Amino acid sequence: MNSRQPIPVVVLAGFLGSGKTTVLNHLLAGRGGTRIGVVVNDFGSIEVDAMSVAGQLGDSMVSLGGGCLCCAVDGSELDAYLEKLSAPVHRIDVIVIEASGLAEPQEMIRMLMASENPAVRYGGMVEVVDAAEFDTTRAKHPETDRHLAVADLVVLNKTDRVDARERARIERELAALCAPGTPVVAADHGRIDPELLFDRRPWTETRGQLSFEDLLAQADGHDHCTHAHAAYESTEFTAAQALSPRRFIDFLDRRPAGLYRIKGFVWFGVPGHEEKYEVHAVGRFLRFAPQPWGRGEVRRTQLVMIGAGTDGAGLLRELEACREAAPQEARPESMWAVLRYVAQPAQPGADTSEADSHAADGL
């Protein structure tokens, strides 16, 4: 991940006992060489069990051997800690905020969307749901429905504790509560593939002793990411021909719920927009970031799509239909649908209502 680009900030939400910390531990265990900044939005002690292998953590920022930084904050301190974590000296690739079980994720989304810190960008909201306590949680916390409505990706955790009929019922209810197209990832013991949220870099750092990642894997007795990855398929698309922005946005708008993540670069070649556009989608969340081409870099589109139960051949056919034979003849307004998903820096004193509406749409 290019350190000069804004660092994506992913909000990991869910009520007490849903398994957020377990999900976070698995993300840390399977991160490869990726440097993850973790913000725990809690009001007590930090209880990230896997981190105990590196020593007891207090409420201050600490540095772990594998490059993870963790801090416990309340909402008012969030901006300050994000600024610290995004400092170039830490070389952080992605930041995960584990929201308090009683937090309002919409407020965190609003803060991130309206942030004036150019070093970070909102990267989507993941809601963790306890399958075994789904009805009880909704009864105790009616706001659950509101949280699900703004989620970009839902992790239905503890599916090993319910039978197939109950799981199917919960999935039907989630489909009704979430925005159309919001994917639901089934998991047991919080096992989801980190690739669904961020890129993993190869682990190459050695210090003459077991790495933090090695200790995590050894403590649990098996490889988390290999186990989790078996449930997903990856489809790759490359095109040396420019894509039509309108047809590509249409493809993204109708992407199937099982397509959890899309990442890569797109070449549109529209006059005035000849740069490459990094695309990042997690569930419903979608963001484009224009970047200059490298010297001598071949103009082309390169995409990786990760999902479960998806028709890879069908996805490739749809993308093939997005090719544009004469992009130089396209009118600039054909890019408007893409530019809607390009983050704009917040202006001092600006009205954040538009950011709120984007957050509500999962953008």
Side-chain angles (χ1 to χ4, degrees):
M1 191 174 294
N2 191 335
S3 61
R4 292 174 295 180
Q5 297 300 315
I7 301 169
V9 181
V10 177
V11 177
L12 182 64
F15 285 98
L16 296 169
S18 62
K20 297 188 306 298
T21 298
T22 305
V23 170
L24 177 59
N25 288 343
H26 281 285
L27 293 176
L28 291 171
R31 73 189 188 282
T34 301
R35 295 177 66 89
I36 306 176
V38 178
V39 177
V40 180
N41 175 224
D42 208 344
F43 297 95
S45 61
I46 298 176
E47 297 178 346
V48 183
D49 297 338
M51 288 184 178
S52 64
V53 299
Q56 181 64 36
L57 302 182
D59 288 342
S60 60
M61 182 184 298
V62 298
S63 177
L64 302 181
C68 294
L69 297 176
C70 182
C71 29
V73 301
D74 62 34
S76 64
E77 298 173 309
L78 184 58
D79 278 341
Y81 276 92
L82 288 177
E83 184 173 354
K84 290 182 180 180
L85 286 171
S86 61
V89 66
H90 300 311
R91 296 184 289 114
I92 293 295
D93 297 304
V94 62
I95 297 172
V96 178
I97 299 177
E98 182 189 352
S100 163
L102 300 177
E104 281 291 340
Q106 296 98 320
E107 179 62 17
M108 287 192 175
I109 293 171
R110 186 196 65 77
M111 293 173 63
L112 291 169
M113 295 292 291
S115 175
E116 298 177 20
N117 183 353
V120 299
R121 62 172 172 82
Y122 175 53
M125 197 271 270
V126 179
E127 179 79 7
V128 182
V129 174
D130 183 343
E133 300 292 335
F134 179 67
D135 295 327
T136 301
T137 299
R138 287 186 70 198
K140 289 183 177 179
H141 304 285
E143 62 270 32
T144 299
D145 294 3
R146 188 172 67 251
H147 297 180
L148 287 168
V150 300
D152 299 300
L153 180 71
V154 175
V155 176
L156 181 58
N157 195 28
K158 306 184 185 180
T159 54
D160 56 313
R161 295 178 55 190
V162 297
D163 59 28
R165 179 178 296 181
E166 176 67 359
R167 171 177 163 179
R169 179 190 70 84
I170 295 172
E171 289 178 339
R172 287 194 299 270
E173 293 202 29
L174 288 173
L177 293 168
C178 297
T182 303
V184 177
V185 180
D188 63 88
H189 298 89
R191 295 189 182 99
I192 66 170
D193 195 325
E195 291 282 359
L196 297 183
L197 300 179
F198 55 81
D199 294 334
R200 282 181 297 191
R201 298 193 302 193
W203 183 266
T204 56
E205 197 171 340
T206 58
R207 303 175 187 276
Q209 58 183 359
L210 282 176
S211 70
F212 179 57
E213 182 172 71
D214 292 334
L215 288 170
L216 288 173
Q218 188 180 77
D220 199 56
H222 65 281
D223 185 342
H224 302 285
C225 52
T226 299
H227 175 88
H229 192 70
Y232 311 118
E233 306 99 29
S234 177
T235 302
E236 298 182 1
F237 174 78
T238 301
Q241 191 173 359
L243 301 190
S244 161
R246 286 174 174 162
R247 292 198 291 274
F248 185 61
I249 288 294
D250 285 344
F251 164 79
L252 294 175
D253 284 344
R254 63 175 184 269
R255 63 193 185 272
L259 185 54
Y260 303 133
R261 188 172 183 220
I262 302 173
K263 59 181 179 177
F265 298 92
V266 185
W267 176 39
F268 297 114
V270 175
H273 303 278
E274 291 89 352
E275 61 267 69
K276 63 180 177 182
Y277 281 77
E278 179 185 13
V279 60
H280 173 75
V282 175
R284 291 188 310 122
F285 175 81
L286 175 63
R287 179 69 68 218
F288 286 95
Q291 297 182 21
W293 296 97
R295 180 175 297 179
E297 185 176 358
V298 177
R299 269 59 170 166
R300 60 181 175 176
T301 292
Q302 294 178 289
L303 296 173
V304 176
M305 296 166 285
I306 302 172
T310 55
D311 177 7
L315 293 174
L316 293 177
R317 285 194 297 271
E318 291 192 53
L319 285 170
E320 288 288 348
C322 293
R323 292 175 182 264
E324 179 59 65
Q328 69 278 4
E329 297 178 7
R331 297 180 64 85
E333 54 264 32
S334 66
M335 286 292 295
W336 287 353
V338 171
L339 297 178
R340 178 187 175 201
Y341 298 102
V342 174
Q344 301 297 325
Q347 299 298 321
D351 182 3
T352 61
S353 58
E354 183 177 359
D356 291 338
S357 68
H358 284 311
D361 290 336
L363 305 179

